[in-house]
């Protein structure tokens, strides 16, 4: 089995994280399936204080925020690294309701994806 992928912690310390067993509980999956989701690029994990975790903002009551996996693919295909993606997702944007990751939880989700497509190409 390959290692669990994670990237540098470039997020503000106030950004709430879920450890991988907690992600599994939220999604109703076994933790090894969460590992596979990370390897497949459906989520991005960071290592904070030695613990691999995923930003809590990546989830809603229904599971993974609907547009997130596709958004991550668009940005990666456009040449963005996971560090750059995290910085963009969690940087305040005056033209959105807060940050792009917060906007994914609103009716502005399609606008976030459209902007990512424009940035990537």
């Amino acid at each position: 089995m390959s290692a669990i992928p994670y990237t540098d912690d470039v997020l503000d310390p106030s950004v709430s994280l879920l450890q991988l067993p907690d992600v599994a509980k939220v999604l109703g999956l076994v933790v090894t399936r969460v590992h596979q989701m990370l390897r497949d690029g459906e989520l991005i994990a960071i290592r904070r204080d030695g613990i691999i975790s995923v930003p809590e903002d990546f989830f809603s009551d229904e599971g993974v925020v609907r547009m997130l996996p596709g958004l991550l693919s668009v940005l990666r295909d456009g040449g963005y690294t996971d560090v750059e993606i995290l910085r963009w997702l969690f940087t305040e944007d005056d033209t959105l309701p807060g940050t792009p990751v917060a906007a994914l939880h609103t009716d502005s989700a399609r606008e976030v994806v459209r902007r990512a497509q424009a940035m990537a190409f």
Side-chain angles (χ1 to χ4, degrees):
M1 179 179 306
S2 61
I4 302 166
Y6 64 88
T7 192
D8 296 333
D9 183 2
V10 295
L11 301 177
D12 188 274
S14 67
V15 172
S16 181
L17 303 175
L18 293 174
Q19 294 179 20
L20 300 187
D22 296 325
V23 171
K25 285 181 188 174
V26 166
L27 298 178
L29 302 171
V30 294
V31 74
T32 54
R33 176 63 182 114
V34 175
H35 298 172
Q36 189 62 47
M37 291 174 76
L38 291 165
R39 284 191 292 274
D40 291 345
E42 297 173 38
L43 296 170
I44 297 176
I46 64 166
R47 178 174 233 133
R48 182 179 287 172
D49 299 326
I51 299 170
I52 299 174
S53 304
V54 177
E56 189 171 4
D57 288 337
F58 286 178
F59 306 97
S60 68
D61 293 338
E62 292 83 39
V64 176
V65 174
R66 188 171 67 92
M67 299 274 198
L68 182 68
L71 176 66
L72 296 177
S73 290
V74 165
L75 290 167
R76 286 182 179 125
D77 288 350
Y80 287 83
T81 66
D82 285 353
V83 166
E84 292 167 328
I85 293 169
L86 287 172
R87 284 189 178 132
W88 181 72
L89 283 171
F90 286 90
T91 298
E92 289 289 326
D93 185 332
D94 293 337
T95 64
L96 292 170
T99 62
V101 74
L104 288 175
H105 293 267
T106 71
D107 292 335
S108 298
R110 290 193 192 286
E111 175 63 15
V112 172
V113 174
R114 187 198 63 73
R115 290 180 187 194
Q117 290 169 332
M119 287 175 19
F121 297 103

